[in-house]
Structure formats: C-alpha cells, structure tokens
Amino acid sequence: MLIAGFPAGPWGTNCYVVATGAGSECVVIDPGKDSAEGVDQVVREHGLKPVSVLVTHGHVDHMWCVAPVAGTYDATAWIHPSDRHLLADPMAGMSRETTQMLLGGNYEWAEPDDVRELADDQVLELAGLRFVVDHTPGHTEGSVTFRTPYAQQDVSEVMFSGDLLFAGSIGRTDLPGGDHPTMLRSLTTKVLPLADDIVVLPGHGEQTSIGRERATNPYLLDLLDDGPVGRVPQGH
C-alpha cells in the first residue's frame, strides 16, 4: 500500500493520497487549502489516477480544495450529509478568527459535480482499497473517520481520524456544529473499542496509534477511568 501524506495551508492540515501502489488509481483524503499542488506532485511522481476524494468533515481547512481536486481528475467527492452544506457554505462552520482572516478575499465555493454521501458503518470499495466509515460527531455534526486494512509491520489497520483524534489530544468542540458530550460519546464508542495496533493518521500533527493514545491521551484516560470529563480541547 502507498500512503503519501503532507501538511498544507496555514492550518497545517494533513492531506493524504492512498493507493494500492504506484501506477494505480488512488483516493485523496482531506485536500485543504494549498493542497492541490501537493496532490499533483504525488500523483505525477507515482503515476496515480485519483478517482475519489474523501472528506472527514466540512471545515474549510479540510475541504478547501475538494472541488478543484475532484474537478481536475473527474473524481467523486464523499462527505457525510450532516456536513454537506459546508462544501458550498464553509463560512457556516468557521470560527470568528478564521472568518476575520478570510475577510476581503474573493472566494467562491461550490460543490463538486459528483458528490455522494457517507453513512455510519458504510464500506467503500474505491481504487482497489476498502474503507470502513465511522460516523464520529462532536467536532462537527458530520465528522467521520476512515479505516482501511493494512496488515503490514504488525499493523492491522490505518485510521484516517480527521479532527476526532490527535497525538495527545482531540478535536475542539467550540465551533458551529461542535458538541463536547457528543465528542466524548464518539471516542467511547468508535475509538476505545479499536485494536491497539491500528495506526492513526490525524488531520493535524504526527501519526500515532490507538495503543499509544489509550495509554497516554488525557482525554481517553479520563474516559477509561470514568474520571472528570470537563477538559476543553485546544487547537484544531
């Protein structure tokens, strides 16, 4: 399996290109701001053909280039229906700081030509790969993760966690559509039951694993201990 990831844009959002190997079809996950050039570079370097764009959630730092990338390669975009409106109106999900940063810019937003909706426990067969969709609301109402079999180097699966789970932290819940108790419920039902050997490729920052986060992430430790749940996540 080929997984190429790179941070892009002012928010350092990780964009991933996933394929069975060089010279094959591929899937692009979370093409945020300034990611189109990076996607093109990976595609050219490995002789790939993007057929689908997967979106973990509708925040602008994760979907800025969904329409351009999908349009360039005639690819299908996939997003949960609860976040679909953000493809055409990302301002609805922005913080005040982000809105202020973008004021004065001449930005036009529109859905890609081919958009399909994701559902919890859905299995996608794309580009010779298999992805299991988990609906994990809390950061946004339509947040999802994608898990794909890996079976190499003692790793059973790779999970693209978006802004649900980071190395040492979790996604913020103070933006429009966010809800902290819902986030904790998603972590409890969708993350804690997973195997320790699953590698987590998050929306921001370095890769981690379920086992590492179960042992060290203060938010997961709180849930495991049935301790205080009042921590407020910082960052993305």
Side-chain angles (χ1 to χ4, degrees), residues 28-228:
V28 179
I29 300 175
D30 283 357
K33 192 174 190 301
D34 303 330
S35 66
E37 183 177 345
V39 170
D40 181 68
Q41 180 178 340
V42 172
V43 165
R44 289 177 179 272
E45 178 180 351
H46 298 284
L48 303 174
K49 163 60 177 170
V51 294
S52 293
V53 179
L54 305 184
V55 186
T56 61
H57 64 288
H59 281 163
V60 69
D61 58 325
H62 289 254
M63 51 64 65
W64 190 295
C65 287
V66 168
V69 169
T72 297
Y73 301 104
D74 194 25
T76 300
W78 294 82
I79 192 168
H80 191 275
S82 295
D83 275 13
R84 182 170 179 169
H85 66 286
L86 296 174
L87 290 176
D89 183 22
M91 303 289 279
M94 289 184 191
S95 67
R96 181 178 301 174
E97 295 80 10
T98 301
T99 302
Q100 291 292 326
M101 187 180 79
L102 296 178
L103 284 178
N106 184 23
Y107 305 114
E108 295 184 3
W109 310 97
E111 282 196 358
D113 291 337
D114 186 4
V115 179
R116 302 185 192 180
E117 296 185 346
L118 299 166
D120 190 36
D121 293 329
Q122 183 176 5
V123 177
L124 302 176
E125 301 281 354
L126 304 169
L129 301 164
R130 182 177 186 268
F131 294 93
V132 175
V133 180
D134 286 311
H135 182 214
T136 54
H139 182 62
T140 68
E141 294 177 355
S143 289
V144 300
T145 64
F146 302 101
R147 290 182 289 118
T148 187
Y150 193 72
Q152 298 179 41
Q153 302 171 347
D154 299 321
V155 175
S156 61
E157 288 183 314
V158 172
M159 180 173 78
F160 300 91
S161 64
D163 286 2
L164 172 71
L165 180 67
F166 305 125
S169 191
I170 62 175
R172 62 192 291 185
T173 56
D174 61 331
L175 300 176
D179 182 74
H180 193 63
T182 301
M183 169 68 86
L184 297 180
R185 192 178 311 115
S186 291
L187 293 168
T188 300
T189 60
K190 296 295 190 178
V191 171
L192 289 179
L194 296 176
D196 284 346
D197 69 349
I198 294 176
V199 168
V200 178
L201 299 180
H204 304 269
E206 65 182 13
Q207 78 175 49
T208 183
S209 70
I210 294 296
R212 175 182 169 189
E213 297 313 301
R214 195 193 313 277
T216 63
N217 189 307
Y219 298 93
L220 298 191
L221 289 172
D222 278 350
L223 293 172
L224 288 168
D225 294 340
D226 287 327

